[in-house]
């Protein structure tokens, strides 16, 4: 889709962007779609595994935090909501840092900040300080890890760009599979404080991954970032991108309700703590499978936008179905496990297409900024999700059924909003230009 910049400005930037692409492709030692590009993809995968995998497993801490802070659901739920929320809410800042300092420096700085935030969480005994350290600081650092680890793929891949985005996203699903079990073990062995320190240690490994990124790429990225804030905003000020932002807000709100409160919700249904953790891991397994399924989808030139919208709506249906009552505890676990399996599949396929859809709606040169804005709206929804769920938990008679119905309904609406934006079949990728796929 064309940006809303006036023709002369857009034309001059197209020419400049093409020159920079040429320089980028011809940089000595720099590979596109081959060689070192796959090392960059492996780095992106690991960053998502460690950073986002831990974030989406934050609900594992909820039961032990509720016990430590005497069942203050609103405050405890806010820790996880802020952690997830600030990954997205700090998106524009992360995009700005990526443009100014490059992917390498932003990933390293973000990993150090996230490590500091989570490590400080081990030292504090106040729920509100945990909101600041783990939630705000940890989440902001993880945001600085995520955006450059994804957008760097646009610098190293052209023909296989959509596939590279998908493989990178599989790292999140794999992390959501492994990290809940790891965190549960750490909490059982070392308590909440020790588990936070071990979590910080995992995030610290991202610093090593950041140092593996080529400095040459960072210099080229800085050259490609010579455009004004006004031009950035002009590229997203249209009804399609605004509708996309609404989709992100609604999905972020509902996603937080599902992830943060799932272990507590399962225990209220009569399941054991380990069964509740298994449910989060099942989402992680199916999430990873869903992201892998998106690879053949991308290779078949299916409309990734339609896939994104449909899976978003279907995941909302699954969240509503979770509330169907089952009499026996054993059947309750089987039913919830199946529901989590389906939710994870839909969630994985949808998020594997998030960056692709963003790239549909915004040219490559504004991708850092556009993805950051979309993540900010997602994060705003995520931050709102926890207090909304806690309020309706109380209104609904100390039950999570009403919050989950609301979460499911909002997710369905989010999927329907996006359909008019992406109804046209996408054009096959070319090796250089992917900006106008919704024309």
């Amino acid at each position: 889709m064309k940006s809303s910049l006036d023709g002369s400005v857009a034309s001059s930037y197209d020419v400049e962007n093409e020159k920079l692409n040429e320089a980028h492709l011809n940089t000595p030692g720099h590979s596109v779609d081959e060689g070192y590009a796959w090392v960059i993809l492996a780095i992106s995968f690991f960053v998502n595994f460690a950073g986002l995998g831990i974030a989406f497993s934050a609900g594992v801490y909820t039961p032990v935090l509720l016990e430590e802070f005497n069942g203050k659901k609103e405050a405890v739920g806010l820790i996880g909501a802020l952690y997830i929320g600030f990954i997205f809410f700090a998106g524009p800042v992360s995009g700005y840092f990526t443009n100014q300092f490059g992917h390498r420096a932003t990933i390293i700085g973000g990993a150090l900040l996230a490590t500091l935030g989570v490590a400080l969480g081990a030292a504090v005994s106040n729920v509100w300080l945990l909101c600041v350290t783990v939630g705000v600081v940890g989440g902001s650092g993880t945001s600085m890890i995520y955006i450059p680890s994804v957008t760097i793929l646009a610098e190293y891949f052209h023909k296989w760009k959509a596939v590279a985005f998908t493989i990178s996203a599989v790292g999140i699903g794999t992390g959501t599979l492994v990290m809940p079990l790891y965190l549960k073990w750490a909490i059982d062995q070392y308590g909440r404080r020790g588990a936070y320190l071990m979590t910080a240690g995992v995030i610290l490994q991202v610093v090593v991954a950041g140092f593996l990124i080529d400095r040459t790429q960072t210099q080229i990225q800085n050259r490609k970032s010579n455009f004004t804030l006004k031009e950035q905003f002009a590229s997203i000020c249209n009804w399609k991108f605004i509708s996309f932002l609404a989709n992100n807000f609604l999905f972020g709100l509902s996603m937080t309700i599902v992830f943060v409160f799932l272990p507590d919700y399962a225990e209220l249904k009569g399941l054991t703590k380990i069964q509740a953790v298994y449910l989060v891991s099942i989402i992680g397994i199916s999430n990873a499978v869903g992201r892998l399924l998106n690879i053949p989808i991308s290779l078949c030139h299916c409309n990734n936008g339609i896939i994104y919208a449909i899976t978003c709506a279907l995941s909302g249906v699954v969240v509503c179905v979770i509330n169907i009552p089952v009499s026996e505890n054993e059947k309750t676990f089987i039913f919830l496990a199946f529901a989590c399996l389906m939710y994870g599949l839909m969630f994985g396929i949808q998020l594997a297409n998030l960056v692709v859809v963003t790239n549909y709606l915004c040219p490559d040169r504004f991708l850092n900024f556009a993805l950051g804005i979309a993540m900010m709206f997602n994060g705003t929804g995520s931050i709102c999700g926890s207090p909304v769920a806690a309020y309706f938990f109380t209104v609904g008679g100390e039950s999570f059924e009403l919050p989950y119905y609301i979460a499911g309904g909002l997710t369905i609406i989010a999927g329907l909003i996006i359909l008019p934006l992406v109804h046209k079949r996408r054009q096959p990728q070319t090796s250089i230009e992917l900006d106008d796929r919704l024309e």
Side-chain angles (χ1 to χ4, degrees):
M1 188 186 88
K2 298 288 184 187
S3 112
S4 57
L5 293 171
D6 64 80
S8 61
V9 174
S11 176
S12 65
Y13 271 88
D14 285 339
V15 172
E16 180 64 19
N17 196 48
E18 185 63 28
K19 290 179 180 177
L20 290 170
N21 273 335
E22 251 182 67
H24 177 64
L25 291 170
N26 296 322
T27 301
H30 184 81
S31 302
V32 176
D33 289 325
E34 62 181 16
Y36 190 72
W38 298 103
V39 176
I40 291 295
L41 179 56
I43 293 170
S44 180
F45 179 96
F46 174 74
V47 169
N48 281 330
F49 171 85
L52 277 295
I54 285 174
F56 286 126
S57 304
V60 175
Y61 282 101
T62 300
V64 69
L65 289 170
L66 285 171
E67 185 177 337
E68 180 177 345
F69 297 111
N70 302 316
K72 296 178 180 178
K73 290 190 187 301
E74 292 87 349
V76 167
L78 192 59
I79 299 171
L82 286 171
Y83 193 2
I84 296 174
F86 264 83
I87 293 174
F88 300 97
F89 189 73
V93 176
S94 302
Y96 173 80
F97 284 157
T98 303
N99 283 336
Q100 293 299 311
F101 306 111
H103 300 92
R104 188 174 189 264
T106 305
I107 289 174
I108 293 170
L112 291 173
L113 183 63
T115 299
L116 175 65
V118 176
L120 286 175
V124 302
S125 302
N126 182 284
V127 66
W128 302 112
L129 287 178
L130 280 174
C131 287
V132 174
T133 55
V134 176
V136 176
V137 179
S140 298
T142 306
S143 177
M144 292 172 61
I145 291 171
Y146 174 68
I147 284 189
S149 74
V150 172
T151 58
I152 192 174
L153 298 176
E155 301 295 320
Y156 280 88
F157 290 90
H158 289 289
K159 180 180 178 181
W160 300 105
K161 183 185 287 188
V163 174
F165 283 148
T166 298
I167 294 174
S168 172
V170 172
I172 302 176
T174 308
T176 310
L177 160 65
V178 174
M179 290 303 172
L181 300 175
Y182 171 74
L183 295 180
K184 178 65 169 61
W185 171 82
I187 291 169
D188 290 342
Q189 294 294 317
Y190 304 104
R192 189 265 297 176
R193 297 175 188 274
Y196 271 142
L197 288 176
M198 295 181 72
T199 300
V202 172
I203 300 172
L204 189 61
Q205 306 309 307
V206 175
V207 174
V208 179
F211 275 110
L212 295 176
I213 295 173
D214 189 359
R215 288 179 181 271
T216 306
Q217 183 278 332
T218 297
Q219 294 166 359
I220 293 170
Q221 175 62 25
N222 288 341
R223 289 170 59 199
K224 294 179 72 173
S225 301
N226 293 324
F227 40 76
T228 68
L229 189 61
K230 180 180 178 180
E231 289 164 346
Q232 287 179 340
F233 273 108
S235 71
I236 64 171
C237 288
N238 56 77
W239 74 270
K240 288 186 176 182
F241 201 87
I242 291 171
S243 298
F244 181 57
L245 296 180
N247 164 272
N248 274 267
F249 174 81
L250 292 175
F251 185 77
L253 191 152
S254 56
M255 174 188 68
T256 302
I257 294 174
V258 174
F259 275 97
V260 173
F261 290 101
L262 180 59
D264 201 29
Y265 177 64
E267 288 184 36
L268 288 177
K269 287 280 190 178
L271 302 186
T272 64
K273 289 184 177 181
I274 190 62
Q275 285 177 321
V277 171
Y278 284 155
L279 293 180
V280 180
S281 290
I282 288 170
I283 292 179
I285 296 171
S286 54
N287 191 321
V289 172
R291 293 166 194 265
L292 286 171
L293 286 175
N294 197 60
I295 295 176
I297 290 173
S298 297
L299 291 173
C300 292
H301 299 298
C302 296
N303 187 320
N304 296 72
I306 292 292
I307 300 295
Y308 175 90
I310 291 175
T311 51
C312 180
L314 287 178
S315 66
V317 173
V318 172
V319 174
C320 292
V321 168
I322 285 176
N323 282 318
I324 295 177
V326 181
S327 55
E328 301 175 22
N329 281 355
E330 182 178 350
K331 291 182 178 179
T332 298
F333 176 72
I334 294 173
F335 174 76
L336 288 178
F338 179 75
C340 288
L341 175 69
M342 296 307 298
Y343 180 82
L345 277 174
M346 297 300 104
F347 182 73
I349 295 173
Q350 177 196 350
L351 287 195
N353 286 291
L354 175 63
V355 182
V356 181
V357 173
T358 307
N359 205 185
Y360 280 0
L361 302 172
C362 185
D364 282 355
R365 62 183 177 274
F366 297 122
L367 183 57
N368 284 327
F369 179 76
L371 182 60
I373 293 293
M375 287 179 61
M376 181 183 72
F377 274 77
N378 196 310
T380 303
S382 297
I383 292 170
C384 294
S386 179
V388 166
Y391 172 77
F392 285 106
F393 174 84
T394 304
V395 170
E398 301 291 303
S399 169
F400 279 112
E401 290 185 4
L402 182 57
Y404 267 66
Y405 277 127
I406 291 172
L410 292 176
T411 309
I412 294 171
I413 294 172
L416 296 177
I417 285 175
I418 208 75
L419 270 175
L421 281 63
V422 292
H423 67 282
K424 293 184 180 180
R425 183 179 179 82
R426 58 170 283 194
Q427 299 298 315
Q429 297 183 73
T430 64
S431 63
I432 298 295
E433 186 60 52
L434 297 176
D435 291 347
D436 301 325
R437 286 186 241 175
L438 286 184
E439 283 292 337

